[in-house]
Amino acid sequence: MISEDAELADSGGRMSTTTSVDQMLDEVQPPTPTVRDYQAFWTTHARAGWTDAVLGEVRSWALRRLGLDVNVAADGEAISAGGDRRAEVMHRQAGKESGVRVRVWNTNGSGTFIVTILAVEDPTGGWILLQTESSDRAQRAAKPAVADAILGVVEFEDIVPLRATAQHVPRAALENLEALLGNPSRRLPVLVAAPIDGVDFDRWIRAVDKWTRHCAGIAHVFSLDPRSAELYRQRHGRRAVAAGTVRTYPARTDLDDPATDTAARWISAETLAGSDSAVARIVERFVRQHQQTHPVLLPPGVRSWSRAFDRFAAQRLRSAVTPTTSPLEDRVAARQATQTALRPAHPSPVVTPAKKTDKADLDTGELLATAERALDRLRAQLEVSERLREQHMTELRHVQEFLALPNLQDDALLELLDAATRVQPDSDAITRLLADNDSLRGRVETLEDLLVEEQIDAADILLERDRLDTLFAAKTREAAFLRGKVAEYDPASAYSWVDDETPSNPLGAPPGGWEGFLTDSRLAEHGLVFTGNPRTVKDIKSLDLDLGGLPSAWDALGTLAAYRQARLHGLWEGGVHAFCESGPADSFHVPPNKHARDESSATRKDSRLAGYRLLPVPKTVDPTGHVHMWSHFKPYSWSAHQKLRIHYHDQVTVDEKIYIGHVGQHLPSGSTDKVRR
């Protein structure tokens, strides 16, 4: 298993620039991160060349932990002698951005563990994504040791610089911590620890370091001291941190939001009393669960780069298995270029005919003459045979060189025969397989996007649930208190209340479609005046195909109508949000989680975002013809990026009217900008 505790490896890794088909077919693409995976995303404003420092740490880590000698400066691979460990390096350039991906596979008895390091450098700095996952989804993938090393050589940040150890927050720096907690652009959860009274603080913060050692890169870790912890509790009460505990504040935390009471989860003093190693695992699992239940979308550029590298890897696979189309002559030349000039080991000597010798004094006359003629014929035949032998030897040498054979022995010839008679894959089947793979990859990417959107929606629902749970608990306590007071004077009345049917919408049933939503005469009868752009409502019509959002939007307007009636009849003196929380029992209203009395501070302070909420009203209301409409309803959601919003301006106490400046999709805000970046 690849982990910071044990990454066992043998020596013998080697670097190559080619990959076998089997190896690439065995590659496991990283699945969508789960609670058992490690995933960290960091940004940096470091000067140019910071990726070189990162790659240097990656190379040292791969060599030290895995025994792989990886050339991180060029595309290629390092493979262990046994093939159970492998590292792949890919570099790409896109405009002013340069990216590198290092992916490491380590297979052992527990499965295959995959570490991916994707770094992109641009003129302003850049970002890095670290992921560790297992092919066995039941296995926990630990934080890779290289994460700490990378944090040590480059200044990465998530609003504030990231550190591998806990940071002390004195009283004077408490506002900085509060600003980080409330920053809508923060991506990582924040762990805040408060010391036990009477315990040496240095000893306490060392313990916090041990408990959170697996959380480097996936959470900010801070420890208050006794004085800052006391001030923090005075300011935030139930949303602060109790002594001797650790509290986790997820992204999009608002310390003024009642939902934080539930959303910011505790790690109790009893849990922290266990062994350091056990507590460290619990804290790590706690943080990863928070990442799952409170997800934050990665910027689109991260997904684009990640998928681009996946496509490059797929293209390498396609090139490796696609039959070659180069001309035969080029392939022969390429094969011969890899071989040295070859010749037979022991060429046969050329036989030279013996020189003719004259015999003048032969006693046998005619016999010798006959023998001489026969000898001449043999010499002529021998010369012909020698020429033929030389010709055949030349041809054999040409064949040997052309086929790039080391020799003409049986072993070499059998190897050639095996290659020539081996069954080749069906090229058409390979083409269809690769096409199917590309199609499936596209579907997977689409499903991943949908999954993330569903996770964002689920996180929003959880936040609303937490808010309602907190409100419900407070109202339950208030009702019990009031019932007790009534019982002191009139016990019968205290317990005589019966829950009748919910009050009906004063506007009546909703119109049949969005076409009549704003032209319905009942709105004017109840003092509701639409001043916005009708086009935004038409856009909603194309989204709300099943008319699921129409009744919810109508109920929001019905709430405004009921609120107006209650104000005009002297039955209510508060605002719309308080009316949704605790209006008169016989008045219609939507739940308070469907309404927001204001926008976030990030949206208010951003002039561009605030401008979207500067909506039209009659000049009798404001001489400029526009007012900021911060209050709004949140009636319905179709997806993480498609949510219905209704912004309004309350003028009931001035001219008995409520002006509706926007009915349409969610206006750009601090939170939506972060999701879409």
Side-chain angles (χ1 to χ4, degrees):
M1 174 178 178
I2 299 175
S3 71
E4 65 176 351
D5 299 319
E7 293 165 295
L8 304 178
D10 300 324
S11 60
R14 62 186 186 279
M15 194 73 186
S16 69
T17 56
T18 59
T19 305
S20 71
V21 176
D22 290 341
Q23 288 168 340
M24 283 194 286
L25 287 174
D26 289 340
E27 288 186 7
V28 180
Q29 293 298 331
T32 302
T34 71
V35 72
R36 296 187 179 277
D37 299 333
Y38 176 90
Q39 175 172 290
F41 173 78
W42 314 323
T43 59
T44 183
H45 290 93
R47 61 185 181 181
W50 64 265
T51 50
D52 294 335
V54 169
L55 290 175
E57 293 300 322
V58 172
R59 184 179 186 278
S60 298
W61 164 74
L63 184 61
R64 183 178 66 256
R65 297 280 186 164
L66 302 172
L68 295 174
D69 187 7
V70 185
N71 180 7
V72 294
D75 290 1
E77 284 195 328
I79 309 172
S80 67
D84 57 337
R85 280 162 282 112
R86 184 161 57 91
E88 175 192 68
V89 182
M90 300 178 70
H91 292 261
R92 288 296 182 274
Q93 188 79 27
K96 295 182 179 180
E97 294 183 333
S98 58
V100 57
R101 189 183 79 176
V102 180
R103 179 166 287 169
V104 178
W105 290 262
N106 184 23
T107 302
N108 56 31
S110 300
T112 298
F113 292 86
I114 309 164
V115 176
T116 301
I117 301 153
L118 173 58
V120 174
E121 185 173 319
D122 59 36
T124 64
W127 52 266
I128 189 170
L129 177 68
L130 280 81
Q131 292 176 304
T132 306
E133 54 269 330
S134 170
S135 58
D136 182 356
R137 307 312 291 154
Q139 286 286 337
R140 165 187 167 273
K143 178 196 70 176
V146 72
D148 291 335
I150 291 174
L151 284 176
V153 296
V154 177
E155 181 89 329
F156 288 102
E157 59 191 30
D158 172 46
I159 307 303
V160 298
L162 292 168
R163 297 289 182 264
T165 57
Q167 301 177 66
H168 172 211
V169 181
R171 186 185 178 98
L174 186 58
E175 290 185 358
N176 295 335
L177 173 62
E178 292 168 332
L180 173 64
L181 292 175
N183 194 309
S185 297
R186 174 170 60 87
R187 295 180 176 279
L188 300 182
V190 177
L191 300 182
V192 181
I196 302 173
D197 295 337
V199 173
D200 178 72
F201 182 71
D202 289 338
R203 179 185 172 193
W204 165 261
I205 202 166
R206 285 196 301 270
V208 174
D209 277 339
K210 292 179 182 178
W211 299 334
T212 59
R213 65 179 183 271
H214 300 311
C215 298
I218 58 175
H220 297 280
V221 181
F222 298 95
S223 180
L224 305 170
D225 60 30
R227 295 180 66 241
S228 58
E230 179 59 30
L231 179 59
Y232 190 61
R233 283 192 289 271
Q234 291 174 6
R235 289 181 178 178
H236 303 292
R238 293 167 57 87
R239 292 155 209 166
V241 186
T245 66
V246 177
R247 198 164 192 181
T248 303
Y249 295 87
R252 297 183 291 174
T253 292
D254 184 351
L255 290 173
D256 295 327
D257 190 343
T260 303
D261 292 3
T262 305
R265 303 302 174 91
W266 296 90
I267 301 176
S268 67
E270 290 78 7
T271 299
L272 297 178
S275 67
D276 288 342
S277 60
V279 173
R281 295 298 186 198
I282 291 172
V283 172
E284 179 192 27
R285 186 165 62 248
F286 198 76
V287 170
R288 293 192 186 189
Q289 287 175 342
H290 253 59
Q291 286 184 314
Q292 285 297 110
T293 56
H294 299 79
V296 176
L297 278 177
L298 294 176
V302 178
R303 298 194 296 276
S304 298
W305 271 98
S306 180
R307 290 172 179 176
F309 275 116
D310 285 341
R311 287 192 292 272
F312 296 146
Q315 184 57 44
R316 290 179 61 225
L317 173 60
R318 179 184 292 274
S319 299
V321 301
T322 301
T324 180
T325 57
S326 59
L328 177 62
E329 294 80 2
D330 294 343
R331 283 179 277 150
V332 170
R335 177 179 172 85
Q336 290 178 340
T338 63
Q339 303 289 337
T340 58
L342 301 173
R343 292 291 185 274
H346 301 287
S348 301
V350 178
V351 178
T352 302
K355 189 176 180 180
K356 182 176 179 181
T357 303
D358 293 331
K359 298 291 184 179
D361 51 347
L362 291 176
D363 298 336
T364 58
E366 187 177 349
L367 178 61
L368 289 177
T370 302
E372 187 66 28
R373 289 193 295 274
L375 185 58
D376 289 340
R377 287 195 299 273
L378 289 174
R379 289 193 185 101
Q381 292 174 358
L382 181 59
E383 289 177 0
V384 172
S385 298
E386 191 62 31
R387 287 195 299 272
L388 290 174
R389 189 185 72 83
E390 282 296 326
Q391 180 182 345
H392 294 325
M393 289 301 299
T394 300
E395 292 175 351
L396 284 174
R397 283 194 297 270
H398 175 71
V399 169
Q400 181 181 355
E401 292 174 356
F402 188 83
L403 296 178
L405 295 173
N407 54 60
L408 296 177
Q409 302 300 318
D410 287 352
D411 290 344
L413 295 174
L414 286 173
E415 182 179 353
L416 178 63
L417 179 63
D418 177 65
T421 58
R422 186 178 303 157
V423 177
Q424 298 298 320
D426 185 339
S427 59
D428 291 337
I430 291 175
T431 301
R432 291 194 299 271
L433 178 63
L434 293 173
D436 290 344
N437 183 63
D438 291 342
S439 175
L440 290 173
R441 184 182 300 279
R443 292 175 60 186
V444 167
E445 291 177 357
T446 301
L447 291 173
E448 285 176 345
D449 290 341
L450 291 174
L451 174 61
V452 173
E453 290 186 3
E454 292 297 329
Q455 288 176 326
I456 295 293
D457 282 342
D460 289 341
I461 292 172
L462 286 174
L463 191 64
E464 295 295 345
R465 185 203 66 185
D466 292 341
R467 186 176 292 115
L468 287 175
D469 285 345
T470 302
L471 179 63
F472 177 77
K475 292 301 180 183
T476 300
R477 293 191 297 271
E478 180 184 10
F481 171 79
L482 294 176
R483 176 172 286 177
K485 291 297 183 181
V486 172
E488 293 177 5
Y489 302 97
D490 187 357
S493 297
Y495 298 96
S496 63
W497 178 77
V498 177
D499 188 8
D500 297 326
E501 293 184 2
T502 302
S504 59
N505 188 330
L507 296 177
W514 285 100
E515 297 85 353
F517 183 79
L518 296 177
T519 58
D520 196 297
S521 61
R522 290 171 289 181
L523 298 181
E525 293 171 4
H526 287 81
L528 305 182
V529 181
F530 180 72
T531 60
N533 187 346
R535 185 182 303 171
T536 61
V537 182
K538 293 181 179 179
D539 293 339
I540 289 297
K541 179 183 175 182
S542 63
L543 286 175
D544 198 35
L545 299 178
D546 61 353
L547 297 181
L550 180 62
S552 299
W554 193 251
D555 284 347
L557 299 187
T559 299
L560 292 177
Y563 161 79
R564 176 179 175 273
Q565 287 179 347
R567 289 298 301 261
L568 294 178
H569 290 86
L571 301 176
W572 187 253
E573 296 182 353
V576 175
H577 194 78
F579 184 78
C580 294
E581 290 180 330
S582 55
D586 58 350
S587 294
F588 175 83
H589 61 78
V590 297
N593 67 308
K594 296 295 184 181
H595 182 268
R597 60 165 61 92
D598 202 351
E599 295 283 6
S600 67
S601 59
T603 300
R604 271 183 166 270
K605 293 177 182 177
D606 189 312
S607 59
R608 179 181 65 87
L609 299 178
Y612 288 106
R613 290 147 179 83
L614 189 61
L615 297 167
V617 292
K619 290 192 174 180
T620 55
V621 176
D622 190 282
T624 65
H626 292 81
V627 296
H628 281 104
M629 298 189 186
W630 306 113
S631 300
H632 58 278
F633 286 92
K634 307 178 288 182
Y636 198 77
S637 296
W638 294 278
S639 72
H641 304 309
Q642 299 169 322
K643 301 179 180 181
L644 178 60
R645 293 293 185 264
I646 299 176
H647 288 253
Y648 66 90
H649 179 61
D650 180 7
Q651 281 279 107
V652 172
T653 58
V654 179
D655 60 8
E656 299 185 356
K657 290 183 172 56
I658 298 176
Y659 297 93
I660 302 167
H662 174 75
V663 177
Q665 290 204 55
H666 198 309
L667 296 173
S669 66
S671 60
T672 58
D673 266 16
K674 182 175 70 171
V675 168
R676 291 168 184 163
R677 278 199 298 270

